[in-house]
Amino acid sequence: MDANGGTDDTGVMDDGDRTEGSGSGDRERVFAPLPPARGQGFARTWWGQTWLKAFEETALDNAQLKRGRAFARKGAVGAVSVRPGRITAVVLGSDRTPCRADVLLRELDENEWERLLEVIVEQAGHIAALLDRDMPPRLVEDAADVGIELLPGIGDLEPECACGAWDHCPHTAALSYQTARLLDEDPFALLLMRGRGERELLNALQERSTARAAGQTTGATVTPAEQEQSQGVEAVEAFALGVLLPPLPEPPSPVRETGQIAALEGGAARAPGLDVDALTFLASHSAATARRMLAEAVSPGHGTRPLPRPLTAWEDAVRLAAAQPGRAVASRLAEGCGRTESELAVAVRAWEFGGAEALTVLEGGWSPSDEALHRAAEQLDLAWGEEEPRPTLRASGACWTAVGTDAQLRYGPDGRWWPYHRRQRSWWPAGGPERDPAAALSVALADEAEPSSGAA
């Protein structure tokens, strides 16, 4: 590519493409090559995973995805240039021959950007989240409500490659996998693909916010509709139409520390059978939980989060045991649920990695459908490249055990993989969930080198 955006005979970018923002202000960013992705997934965030889903479900040839995944894992993707409507990188093929790869995504037009800017400026939390390099689901939903799809869907990512392939080839696949890692770190890259750079976007938002504030403080002309709205509306109508109501009062100040628990000396003497240690633990733990819940309740976006499902008696006992109440209290928790202390120790380990969801995987609390098992098998086929021999895995329901090792993978209801390691005839959780089964297995195998703790 020359300084004006062209390419040389090999289709490889020259130095003109490597200068960030050369001649285009805020309309180009060049991300340095990322290290190899061995032992980890390509997307941690929900928006990065949405990008991968749109790409993987668009491609027609799983074999090309598998090769591209292997290229990305080996670090064969060079610097990634992000511009409106396009991402570009040089990818080294199997024979180390460089090839220019591009993936195209439609830019938003001016009218769409006007609507999107209004959506973002309506909620201060949207701007704060973006500045924190986060893409809140509510922002994407609000944009969809005004007819704008921020994240790509199936068929939205179009490949162009110097190798001449008409569909996604290993080069554009590798670029797409690498881009998911970039989006994890900086969602502004997605907005740049849609047509606006970070500085340009923030400047536009600041102008709109300033204009709104000035209109409110200078007594700007109020339309009849605005005057009618200011007089109040029925709650049902406000909820249905999304009318902007006056701001809520300031939230209460956060509680800095948990209060002191009253002394319980002599309690057992006055009430035979009273377990003072257990009661003291429950009181202090409840106070700490209340403090945490209050902090969450006044945090931005709390009202839009779904309510968690109620815990079962066993799950609640594990939750309490994870707070390290002491051997005596933990023993009572296990006994009360008809479990052994060893079973409780394994369950606590799972809870620490993933809460109630991890317990569902540990207990085998779900039976995968044939479709889910087929999807899991496809993920396993794509997880190891041609040059990376896949370990032999023996399947049993939702569990895949690596033959000849003490490592196991478990497939969760949400399609993520959980690493497990065998210790003294029991399977122990070895880490949190991964989208990539190869990353989960590497965690399980690495656990073999760790000293065993809490033996069953």
Side-chain angles (χ1 to χ4, degrees):
M1 179 177 288
D2 60 24
N4 295 318
T7 60
D8 60 19
D9 293 337
T10 64
V12 176
M13 292 188 297
D14 66 12
D15 290 340
D17 246 352
R18 299 178 188 276
T19 304
E20 182 167 356
S22 57
S24 57
D26 196 27
R27 292 299 182 98
E28 180 179 7
R29 292 182 63 187
V30 178
F31 293 84
L34 295 175
R38 298 185 182 95
Q40 62 180 7
F42 286 103
R44 293 177 290 98
T45 62
W46 72 270
W47 60 89
Q49 292 163 6
T50 302
W51 169 278
L52 281 186
K53 180 180 179 182
F55 151 64
E56 290 178 338
E57 296 189 6
T58 296
L60 301 178
D61 190 343
N62 282 340
Q64 301 288 52
L65 295 183
K66 187 174 181 179
R67 293 182 60 197
R69 196 182 188 102
F71 287 172
R73 284 201 178 284
K74 294 187 298 184
V77 181
V80 178
S81 170
V82 181
R83 287 165 289 172
R86 180 183 298 264
I87 53 175
T88 306
V90 172
V91 181
L92 300 180
S94 300
D95 59 356
R96 309 299 293 174
T97 300
C99 186
R100 169 176 169 152
D102 293 74
V103 175
L104 280 59
L105 178 63
R106 186 183 71 84
E107 294 183 56
L108 302 180
D109 61 31
E110 288 300 319
N111 288 333
E112 289 173 316
W113 267 111
E114 285 296 312
R115 299 202 301 273
L116 179 58
L117 290 171
E118 284 299 314
V119 165
I120 298 175
V121 81
E122 284 284 352
Q123 297 287 338
H126 291 341
I127 302 176
L130 288 172
L131 290 174
D132 200 31
R133 296 307 189 257
D134 184 21
M135 178 73 74
R138 180 65 182 272
L139 169 57
V140 176
E141 294 168 1
D142 290 347
D145 288 343
V146 296
I148 299 170
E149 297 297 334
L150 266 183
L151 289 162
I154 300 174
D156 289 346
L157 300 176
E158 299 181 15
E160 285 186 1
C161 189
C163 74
W166 61 273
D167 186 33
H168 277 288
C169 63
H171 308 103
T172 58
L175 172 58
S176 298
Y177 280 117
Q178 202 76 315
T179 301
R181 297 175 66 190
L182 297 177
L183 294 179
D184 269 358
E185 303 301 326
D186 194 348
F188 277 107
L190 173 67
L191 295 170
L192 177 54
M193 289 183 229
R194 288 301 196 184
R196 296 286 178 94
E198 179 177 351
R199 291 193 300 273
E200 181 181 7
L201 174 60
L202 294 179
N203 287 341
L205 292 173
Q206 184 178 22
E207 290 175 3
R208 287 170 184 265
S209 298
T210 302
R212 281 178 171 237
Q216 293 172 357
T217 58
T218 58
T221 302
V222 179
T223 66
E226 291 173 331
Q227 184 175 6
E228 180 181 349
Q229 176 179 319
S230 67
Q231 296 173 354
V233 295
E234 293 292 332
V236 174
E237 181 183 354
F239 181 79
L241 301 179
V243 177
L244 292 178
L245 300 177
L248 295 173
E250 288 295 320
S253 301
V255 179
R256 298 298 180 187
E257 58 184 23
T258 305
Q260 292 289 93
I261 304 301
L264 298 175
E265 290 87 353
R270 290 193 296 270
L274 177 66
D275 189 332
V276 175
D277 291 338
L279 187 58
T280 301
F281 163 73
L282 287 174
S284 59
H285 182 68
S286 298
T289 301
R291 176 175 174 269
R292 174 181 56 79
M293 293 176 67
L294 176 60
E296 292 176 353
V298 299
S299 64
H302 176 75
T304 64
R305 299 170 193 161
L307 291 174
R309 66 169 176 81
L311 298 179
T312 65
W314 170 239
E315 290 170 343
D316 201 39
V318 175
R319 176 185 67 86
L320 291 171
Q324 300 180 348
R327 178 70 181 271
V329 175
S331 179
R332 288 194 61 183
L333 289 170
E335 181 182 357
C337 294
R339 303 294 185 103
T340 66
E341 292 184 41
S342 295
E343 289 176 316
L344 180 60
V346 177
V348 166
R349 175 84 170 193
W351 183 274
E352 291 170 345
F353 283 126
E357 182 184 359
L359 285 185
T360 299
V361 176
L362 171 68
E363 300 280 316
W366 82 294
S367 299
S369 63
D370 292 341
E371 180 183 356
L373 289 175
H374 179 70
R375 185 165 57 249
E378 285 186 340
Q379 288 186 26
L380 289 170
D381 288 338
L382 289 172
W384 283 271
E386 295 177 346
E387 300 176 7
E388 299 175 276
R390 170 180 160 177
T392 302
L393 299 173
R394 184 176 64 248
S396 175
C399 302
W400 275 263
T401 304
V403 176
T405 73
D406 288 327
Q408 185 184 85
L409 296 177
R410 297 194 181 186
Y411 189 65
D414 65 349
R416 294 187 296 176
W417 297 85
W418 298 76
Y420 272 71
H421 184 76
R422 181 161 42 207
R423 298 178 184 173
Q424 297 185 6
R425 299 183 181 181
S426 295
W427 287 106
W428 284 69
E434 297 280 357
R435 286 288 177 189
D436 182 2
L441 185 59
S442 69
V443 173
L445 291 171
D447 200 57
E448 293 184 349
E450 296 293 330
S452 179
S453 61

